[in-house]
Amino acid sequence: LRRMGNPVSIIFVTGNPDFALEGYDLEAVSYIVKPVKRQRLWAALDRARERVSDRAAVLVQLFGGEAEKVYVSDICCLEGDGHDCILWKRDGTRLICKSGIRQLEQELMEVGHHGSFFKPHRSYCVNLEHVERIGKKEIRMDNRMAVPVARGKWEELNQAYMECFRRQSF
């Protein structure tokens, strides 16, 4: 599959630990020896999901008929701007998109990133993996951008951030 261009993630589950080093030569996500412990399996599956999500991308329609592939892991924040949307990348680059914020949010959900993004304000959607600090009234992103937090959203934001952080820590 890899020779055909399919970047599959491999998790070995075996009763024989003798070949573990060869498994890592294949860039396996994990080599789990039986009996399988549930926590170890879930951690390996989470790492496999992260590898796939690091490669996930959306195609963003820009003005002038141009389109750009943007890796989801590079998206810091979406900002609604009337009928358009500004996509802020983690390096500070901004892309002005023809589609609205709702359409881009939908595309992110379709590539499996609904748990990584949160809408703290009706005009913003942030990638929780790029949040540096959460305050009662604003979020500081790792690209130094400040995003407002709507009244009544702080508690839900904290909970979503903690869940995202726990997923990253495994």
Side-chain angles (χ1 to χ4, degrees):
L1 288 171
R2 285 182 174 168
R3 276 187 238 130
M4 293 171 27
N6 189 340
V8 296
S9 295
I10 300 169
I11 299 173
F12 287 101
V13 178
T14 182
N16 187 349
D18 297 340
F19 300 104
L21 290 177
E22 290 177 37
Y24 287 106
D25 286 342
L26 295 172
E27 297 180 16
V29 172
S30 188
Y31 199 95
I32 302 172
V33 179
K34 295 177 184 175
V36 176
K37 291 187 172 80
R38 185 179 303 237
Q39 185 175 8
R40 178 106 196 249
L41 177 62
W42 283 115
L45 290 170
D46 285 341
R47 281 195 306 277
R49 181 179 47 83
E50 286 173 18
R51 283 188 184 184
V52 170
S53 68
D54 285 345
R55 293 184 293 265
V58 291
L59 190 62
V60 178
Q61 299 297 321
L62 307 173
F63 286 94
E66 296 181 348
E68 184 170 329
K69 176 174 77 172
V70 179
Y71 290 101
V72 175
S73 59
D74 288 337
I75 298 173
C76 191
C77 174
L78 304 175
E79 179 182 356
D81 185 29
H83 295 292
D84 308 325
C85 180
I86 300 170
L87 184 150
W88 292 92
K89 294 169 84 175
R90 67 179 173 183
D91 66 2
T93 305
R94 74 181 210 153
L95 301 174
I96 301 175
C97 311
K98 284 172 46 173
S99 57
I101 192 170
R102 282 195 180 119
Q103 184 178 342
L104 280 176
E105 284 178 76
Q106 183 63 38
E107 289 179 39
L108 291 169
M109 294 216 302
E110 287 172 10
V111 295
H113 284 274
H114 55 275
S116 298
F117 285 84
F118 184 82
K119 203 162 181 174
H121 185 279
R122 65 184 167 95
S123 298
Y124 292 88
C125 183
V126 298
N127 185 341
L128 294 170
E129 294 176 11
H130 294 295
V131 170
E132 197 170 88
R133 177 189 292 162
I134 297 174
K136 293 269 187 187
K137 295 186 178 185
E138 76 174 21
I139 300 167
R140 176 72 59 191
M141 305 302 293
D142 59 13
N143 69 354
R144 301 291 177 232
M145 184 175 177
V147 175
V149 176
R151 192 173 35 234
K153 283 284 199 170
W154 183 78
E155 200 168 309
E156 185 183 351
L157 167 63
N158 268 318
Q159 185 176 359
Y161 184 64
M162 294 306 284
E163 287 173 17
C164 181
F165 188 76
R166 275 189 222 114
R167 281 193 308 271
Q168 289 177 343
S169 298
F170 271 102

